[in-house]
Amino acid sequence: MTKWVYSFSKTINEGNKEMKGLLGGKGANLAEMSSLKLPVPPGFTVTTEACIDYQNNEEISEEIRTQILAALKTIESETGKTFGGGDNPLLFSVRSGARVSMPGMMDTVLNLGLNEETVISLAEKSGNKRFAWDSYRRFIQMYSNVVLGMNISLLESTLEDLKEARNVELDTELSAGDLKQLVEVYKQIVVQETGKAFPTDPMDQLWQSIAAVFGSWNNPRAIKYRDLNGIAHDWGTAVNVQSMVYGNMGDDCATGVCFTRDPSTGEKKFFGEYLVNAQGEDVVAGIRTPAPINDPSKNDSNRDEKTLEEYMPEIFKELTETYIKLEEHYKDMQDIEFTVEGNKLYLLQTRNGKRTAQAALKIAVDLVAEGIVSKEEALMQIDPEVLNQLLHPRLDPSAQKNIVAKGLPASPGAGTGQICFTSERAHHLNDIGEKVILVRQETSPEDIAGMAASEGILTARGGMTSHAAVVARGMGKPCVAGCSSLSIDTHALTMTIGSTTYKEGDWVTVEGATGEVMEGEVPTLDAEITSEFATFMGWADEVRKLRVRTNADNPEDSRAAVKFGAEGIGLCRTEHMFFEPERILAVREMIFAETTPARVKALDKLLPFQRKDFLGIFTALEGKPVNIRLLDPPLHEFLPHTEEDKKELAKYIDVELKEIEDISERLHEFNPMLGHRGCRLGITYPEIYKMQVQAIIEAAIEAKKNGLSIKPEIMIPLVAVDKELSQLRDILEKHIKSIFADKGEEVSYKLGTMIELPRAAITAASIANHADFFSFGTNDLTQTTFGLSRDDAGKFLNDYVAKGVLPQDPFVSLDTEGVGYLVEFATTQGRETNPDMHIGICGEHGGEPKSIDFCHRIGLDYISCSPYRVPIARLAAAQAEIRNR
Amino acid sequence: MTKWVYSFSKTINEGNKEMKGLLGGKGANLAEMSSLKLPVPPGFTVTTEACIDYQNNEEISEEIRTQILAALKTIESETGKTFGGGDNPLLFSVRSGARVSMPGMMDTVLNLGLNEETVISLAEKSGNKRFAWDSYRRFIQMYSNVVLGMNISLLESTLEDLKEARNVELDTELSAGDLKQLVEVYKQIVVQETGKAFPTDPMDQLWQSIAAVFGSWNNPRAIKYRDLNGIAHDWGTAVNVQSMVYGNMGDDCATGVCFTRDPSTGEKKFFGEYLVNAQGEDVVAGIRTPAPINDPSKNDSNRDEKTLEEYMPEIFKELTETYIKLEEHYKDMQDIEFTVEGNKLYLLQTRNGKRTAQAALKIAVDLVAEGIVSKEEALMQIDPEVLNQLLHPRLDPSAQKNIVAKGLPASPGAGTGQICFTSERAHHLNDIGEKVILVRQETSPEDIAGMAASEGILTARGGMTSHAAVVARGMGKPCVAGCSSLSIDTHALTMTIGSTTYKEGDWVTVEGATGEVMEGEVPTLDAEITSEFATFMGWADEVRKLRVRTNADNPEDSRAAVKFGAEGIGLCRTEHMFFEPERILAVREMIFAETTPARVKALDKLLPFQRKDFLGIFTALEGKPVNIRLLDPPLHEFLPHTEEDKKELAKYIDVELKEIEDISERLHEFNPMLGHRGCRLGITYPEIYKMQVQAIIEAAIEAKKNGLSIKPEIMIPLVAVDKELSQLRDILEKHIKSIFADKGEEVSYKLGTMIELPRAAITAASIANHADFFSFGTNDLTQTTFGLSRDDAGKFLNDYVAKGVLPQDPFVSLDTEGVGYLVEFATTQGRETNPDMHIGICGEHGGEPKSIDFCHRIGLDYISCSPYRVPIARLAAAQAEIRNR
């Protein structure tokens, strides 16, 4: 019989922290903390497998129900409370908990088990009527929202109306009678809105809540989040059912969130926020601005609040001991949720805390220095993707800054863009190439897509652990949160700071490391590389086996990549050089040439430009290897489109305009991706490749004279047949010999090919006879292996991922089963023919950690990626080595 | 040491008929005849490997020269003649001879070894000065043409001028003095044209001739011929150097060509033509109309000539004994070249004779009946492609025919088209979709491309073995040759028959089986199937293991295919049905639907049409299996293009014209081949596939009620990922169940997929979990494996084949190394998952014999091809079984 339910409690504790796949992160850590004898309220976790079972059967099976009922009995006997009745009623929190934290799913229902009877018992047992009715009111509100799927603004406005009628500001000022009355009104609203009475049977409430958590795995927000974060759609979520403790039973109660180190900077300081007489959701939701737990947690907006250390010194001491214990146990910075009920501390959650990239690096380097983790453990703690944040621009310190407001420094980095008040609009503007800053009262999971589309996020409410802050840090987006001087009018689409009103479309700049909000567009600079970064990346370089190169087409990008640690160029595309204004006419003249001599004449004009380009790149690379791909795109890509350009060309090459149009027509292709391009051009017009090779070799000779030892790698693209390569190799080698003779100087070089077509991969053993190296062009290889045009796939690929047809976009993460099969096959076959074969990958997958892991496993020599992803690739390569040892 | 030269003579005979690859067909057969002790003039063959060696080194190597000189000595000692001097000079013919007969290469130089000295010796030895100088004159003419590459019209007109000056009609009427004078003029012309004196050293003549033959392997005509006939470019040609015998030494000399059976009808009759006092080239070139060798060889144009049987009865008797011996030895109809010198018979060549498809079938069936070959040997004797001729149209016997001329029935079949006088023009008109009849004085190898582009060929001169006749029979084109009443003016571009003048563009019809030429366009009918055809195809069916299906989209094609022996439909494309006028509006309405219900409404209109289509096809197939592919092309293929159509649609679906244009724009794809098509449409719009499946199932139920047991095969196209198939299978099977419930009737069916993308082939093991069958769509699989769009490849694919990058067009003959690898891999993997998996091929390769051989070897269950290729596929499948046993 499958075990669907795992208890965590003092008497029976069935899980541990390694079981995240089955119990979710939250459930696994609750069990782990229980086994550490920490004060965790008892409960049980229904597994992720049960979620999948639920998805398939559309109901909770009998077997699962039976196991849940058994686990429930355990809690009753441990707590002495009874679920659904008695004078000491057992109430539950019900929380979702997936393998990784996932905003977007149903999160939490608290106080489950309350009804007209149990609320009376709770009031009597706690001696606090107001608390009991307030709990019931909250329960109805949460349940209506997350289980019944109601729009709860009606409930909220009823509460606001009541406060206004009673002339009070805080919820806590309402009396038990007020709240009882509110419960009645809430229930009437539920009947109006859903057509059904609010459920009174606690068991019914429990089944509905568990089903709702399971169901929320597939709500659109959750799917969107998984898509954005590359999370598998078939993992499922666990459900944690835990006996309630109360932070809102009075002033000897509190609830809070803390981090064992600063999640923004990584500084070793205990850091957190709490609220007296509140439930946990109040902190996270950012509705009330919370107080600091200690002095180091103070900032401008909470400086005057009493710290937990001051308010509950014993609790603070116990919490301090606990966090040290947890950090040592988990060997990582922890994000802890706690509740104090009647001056007793309870832990509700611990997990490895989300952090900024800077913080992650500092924490990793510190943990190694403190002897808590080894270098390799440290390397494994950082998701390579977060390094992306380090490479984000920052504000130009010399720029004029008109700071108009200051909020919480919720996620570092500088962002500048047009003000935009809705997620949809942000998304739309981003689509058409505009930069936006998303400005919201507070964000919610519905805003994920809008946040992803923005340069930065600015919220008026919410603390450092609010939704906006947490999500922005995860995304590496600048975020200023809780900027209380901001007043937003969502109808007029304006925001006001002091006396100035800004409308949608006005430019604003946010600096997430300082919390500053600036008027207009402030210039930004590249990120600085810290000493922690250098130390950490040094460890990665010691470990990794894969070399890391970059894809760069000009000296500037090449220099940036070298700064980020690139060990050479894996792909230099020569065609980008063709588009510069002074060259494009000669390129077009070459295309329109009717004879080989005419073509050669035009190519002769391009030769000095290309030679200069290559010399610049060789110089930037300081002697590191440079792999240059000869002309790849079909010639029609270089044709003039506007009437004016056509006329200019007609004049330049002295033909009728009509002829320009005729030849353009003749060069048209139905499927340019599969057309007359790559080495097919080289076979048809060998003079084009000869010119390019001449430019490369002459530049290398010049570089050699300048004291640089350059070994260019000449790459023939789009080979499908071994003879394409062998014939071109013959032609080009003869030409190179003649250049050597001409110049009286030689350089060594390599000549090889892209493997980017299925046929090339299949016949790699033959092709390897003529190649010094292979470089996998996995972009095109993915297109042809799938028969899927990248330019056209957008229309349905999201749908494919949403429906689970594909686990992820194969243009982002290498499809190991299909495309990867060919890559591995070609590698094996190529090396069988030519054991010295040097093999790398230059498709965009070369900068994606999962794909890098694959490249490592199949034994490639190097990966190549865009300059800004080089550090990511270096770390991912190190992790691949550690993971696969 | 490599053996580069093989002698054939009475004393040393080193080759045999099995060595065609090394010695060429001609060389192998000369050696074989020598070993049969037939009267073959002695000589030697320089191998095809020597040709390749020559191509690589651009010269004849020392080693090869040494072996040639040794072989030459053997001939000198056997004949007692001396090459290059002496009173009994040895003269040679030098002939090319590839593995298969190949017009287009340099053919023959006769009388090699003549110069000012040897011509005197020859005159003395033969006692015939005129003959000696005529031989020298002919030698210079041939050598200038084929070795020096001169345009010999200058030489020819000099000869004509001389004849005019002497007031004679025939060459033979010129005196020795005339011819000696002609030789002088010829030599002057050679100096003028080439800048060099005509070579006098016989060894020099020999080396130049051998080099010229080797070089001719790569002349454009030869390459073109190989391209058209699928001959490998790396075979090379052998050179046959043979001592001369003379058919032109006087009236006791003759030369001729004969067939052991009638090459047009296959009738068992000895059949041939000859010329008294002539060299072999005179017969083949068709310059003089030859005489019949016997009564059965008589026809309208040679009826009055004396037969060889009458003129040289002894020689005819010896020739008769020889042909019977050769046919029994070679077990096939022979095409024999002979020369009579001084009343002595010499054999210069024998080979399996080219024949029409009808003749091939009759000969094969007769040879089996005569006990000369077994059924399987007979099956192997016929190239499946020639069956194509049998399926060609013939004239409608009831049609009005205005016969204006009659020529030789050189190649059967009826052709109708516009008169066209040049090969280039024929090619051009064919390209733009016009039908042409190529009309020529006589054809030459330059005309190959023009002949291929024509519906039929009509020549004014030449016999049944003329160039036009031989090539047309090979191509299966109708040909009327030697139509002497025809007078062609190549300047005015007109032809005159009697008093009527026809100009280019006028319509004419030829009937190659009767030799009739008709004015205008005469309606044609489908070919009749003869009893030999039925017998022969019956043998093929007994032998073959592969089943043969057809690709057909409508009842008419289906019926034709069944008549030709199709055992089911392998591919029924449903989209063709969408284009009929009464449906296309509903199709477009479906495309423009914004919601699923709107789409379903439009699809409901299409349902009855599709159901009727399928019922018609099921009925035509009489219960044989029918494989139906669901919608495959991208939706934009169905969009309106003309302004009028757009307006009609806007009105029909009641939207603004602008919206039609917007949506068309939105549906545009950069690479439609790799776009939103195939099962990707099914995933996005399951309702389309549901409608199609409903039509299929309901039609099958109706067919069942009509007493037909139909088991439809539903095929999902363009699957790349197993989940595409599993999800669609789920949806469609549920739908089918509901139809069964609805109708109260069930039919059995299969559901499977095309394997037409590399990823599908690679992951076939997973896909097979959800498929009852695989069908290889090798057209798309070739496109994606090569990364080569069929629509765009035309621009460079010919160049690829010409340069030897590819051995052949991979869209014609399956690329076994690349695409075939995937087909075999997927077959093996698919059967490993699902041993009952039924596997076929439905790409156009399914009708191409080499590809069929491959399909047989890897164990496919069936092939599918267009209706008219079904007999070819049946025979090719039988041959594959015999060949691979």
Side-chain angles (χ1 to χ4, degrees), chain B residues 306-366:
Chain B
K306 210 167 191 180
T307 64
L308 182 69
E309 190 170 9
E310 291 159 352
Y311 188 71
M312 294 177 167
E314 283 305 311
I315 294 290
F316 183 77
K317 193 169 159 250
E318 191 184 347
L319 187 60
T320 301
E321 286 160 10
T322 303
Y323 97 72
I324 293 170
K325 191 172 181 178
L326 281 171
E327 194 178 83
E328 281 178 359
H329 184 74
Y330 280 95
K331 295 184 164 199
D332 199 359
M333 186 266 268
Q334 293 298 296
D335 166 358
I336 300 164
E337 289 179 21
F338 63 91
T339 284
V340 179
E341 178 184 315
N343 264 324
K344 179 165 165 37
L345 176 69
Y346 291 96
L347 295 182
L348 300 184
Q349 173 158 302
T350 192
R351 56 181 169 185
N352 295 341
K354 289 204 175 179
R355 65 207 77 176
T356 64
Q358 285 90 338
L361 278 177
K362 175 147 179 57
I363 291 168
V365 172
D366 285 354

Side-chain angles (χ1 to χ4, degrees), chain A residues 344-379:
Chain A
K344 176 163 168 40
L345 176 69
Y346 293 96
L347 295 182
L348 298 184
Q349 172 158 303
T350 193
R351 55 181 169 183
N352 296 340
K354 289 203 176 180
R355 64 205 79 176
T356 63
Q358 285 90 337
L361 279 178
K362 175 148 178 57
I363 290 169
V365 172
D366 286 354
L367 288 175
V368 171
E370 292 164 27
I372 296 176
V373 300
S374 69
K375 285 179 188 177
E376 299 198 350
E377 284 170 331
L379 286 171

Side-chain angles (χ1 to χ4, degrees), chain B residues 724-878:
Chain B
E724 289 172 323
L725 185 59
S726 64
Q727 290 195 2
L728 284 170
R729 186 175 191 116
D730 282 352
I731 292 167
L732 297 177
E733 286 198 327
K734 272 182 199 157
H735 192 52
I736 291 171
K737 267 187 204 158
S738 80
I739 299 164
F740 287 164
D742 229 40
K743 299 278 167 189
E745 180 79 76
E746 300 200 357
V747 289
S748 61
Y749 64 91
K750 288 183 177 179
L751 200 150
T753 183
M754 293 271 268
I755 301 288
E756 52 185 331
L757 295 173
R759 198 183 186 286
I762 295 164
T763 62
S766 318
I767 293 174
N769 284 314
H770 316 287
D772 305 324
F773 61 83
F774 281 172
S775 176
F776 289 101
T778 49
N779 298 343
D780 276 4
L781 191 58
T782 300
Q783 296 198 80
T784 46
T785 303
F786 274 88
L788 186 57
S789 159
R790 198 178 182 175
D791 293 328
D792 300 308
K795 284 169 193 148
F796 54 92
L797 206 51
N798 289 342
D799 198 30
Y800 259 51
V801 177
K803 288 182 173 167
V805 177
L806 285 172
Q808 62 216 344
D809 181 338
F811 294 111
V812 172
S813 190
L814 190 75
D815 160 51
T816 54
E817 198 188 350
V819 180
Y821 178 89
L822 288 175
V823 171
E824 185 171 8
F825 183 85
T827 301
T828 310
Q829 296 280 307
R831 290 231 176 93
E832 228 161 76
T833 299
N834 179 357
D836 296 332
M837 173 79 69
H838 197 233
I839 305 184
I841 176 177
C842 62
E844 285 179 31
H845 302 101
E848 192 271 334
K850 271 190 282 187
S851 311
I852 291 170
D853 190 84
F854 177 79
C855 293
H856 172 88
R857 278 184 277 130
I858 64 167
L860 297 195
D861 294 306
Y862 71 89
I863 49 188
S864 188
C865 57
S866 64
Y868 280 76
R869 292 194 75 85
V870 166
I872 295 170
R874 288 159 71 196
L875 176 55

Side-chain angles (χ1 to χ4, degrees), chain A residues 666-676 679-680 683-684 686 718 720-724 727 757-760 762-763 766 783-789 791-792 795-796 799-800 803-806 815 817-819 821-822 825, chain B residues 234 666-676 679-680 683-684 686 718 720-721 723-724 727 757-760 762-763 766 783-789 791-792 795-796 799-800 803-806 815 817-819 821-822 825:
Chain A
R666 219 189 301 152
L667 286 174
H668 168 79
E669 294 187 312
F670 296 99
N671 296 290
M673 160 69 207
L674 308 176
H676 195 189
C679 70
R680 295 162 192 172
I683 295 277
T684 312
L718 212 75
V721 181
D722 55 352
K723 285 197 178 148
E724 289 173 324
Q727 291 195 1
L757 296 174
R759 198 182 186 286
I762 295 164
T763 61
S766 318
Q783 296 198 79
T784 46
T785 303
F786 273 88
L788 187 57
S789 159
D791 292 328
D792 300 308
K795 284 170 193 148
F796 54 91
D799 198 30
Y800 259 52
K803 287 182 175 168
V805 177
L806 284 172
D815 160 51
E817 197 188 350
V819 180
Y821 177 89
L822 288 176
F825 182 85
Chain B
D234 60 0
R666 219 190 300 153
L667 286 175
H668 168 79
E669 293 186 311
F670 296 97
N671 296 290
M673 160 70 208
L674 308 176
H676 196 190
C679 71
R680 295 162 191 172
I683 295 278
T684 312
L718 212 75
V721 181
K723 284 197 179 146
E724 289 172 323
Q727 290 195 2
L757 295 173
R759 198 183 186 286
I762 295 164
T763 62
S766 318
Q783 296 198 80
T784 46
T785 303
F786 274 88
L788 186 57
S789 159
D791 293 328
D792 300 308
K795 284 169 193 148
F796 54 92
D799 198 30
Y800 259 51
K803 288 182 173 167
V805 177
L806 285 172
D815 160 51
E817 198 188 350
V819 180
Y821 178 89
L822 288 175
F825 183 85

Side-chain angles (χ1 to χ4, degrees), chain B residues 221-267:
Chain B
R221 289 201 311 273
I223 290 170
K224 180 81 193 173
Y225 184 87
R226 290 199 292 274
D227 287 345
L228 279 172
N229 291 274
I231 297 171
H233 292 292
D234 60 0
W235 282 357
T237 179
V239 180
N240 299 293
V241 178
Q242 189 173 20
S243 52
M244 284 295 302
V245 287
Y246 293 96
N248 59 338
M249 260 169 75
D251 289 345
D252 58 352
C253 300
T255 190
V257 176
C258 57
F259 292 87
T260 61
R261 293 168 195 249
D262 186 322
S264 274
T265 64
E267 204 183 330

Side-chain angles (χ1 to χ4, degrees), chain B residues 18 58 98 206 212 232 266 339 342 384 420 478 515 527 587 594-595 610 626 630 649 657 693 724 762 847:
Chain B
E18 307 306 328
E58 293 173 13
L206 183 60
T339 284
C420 174
V587 172
E594 303 254 324
T595 64
Q610 287 250 295
V626 176
L630 302 186
L649 180 62
L657 188 60
V693 164
E724 289 172 323
I762 295 164

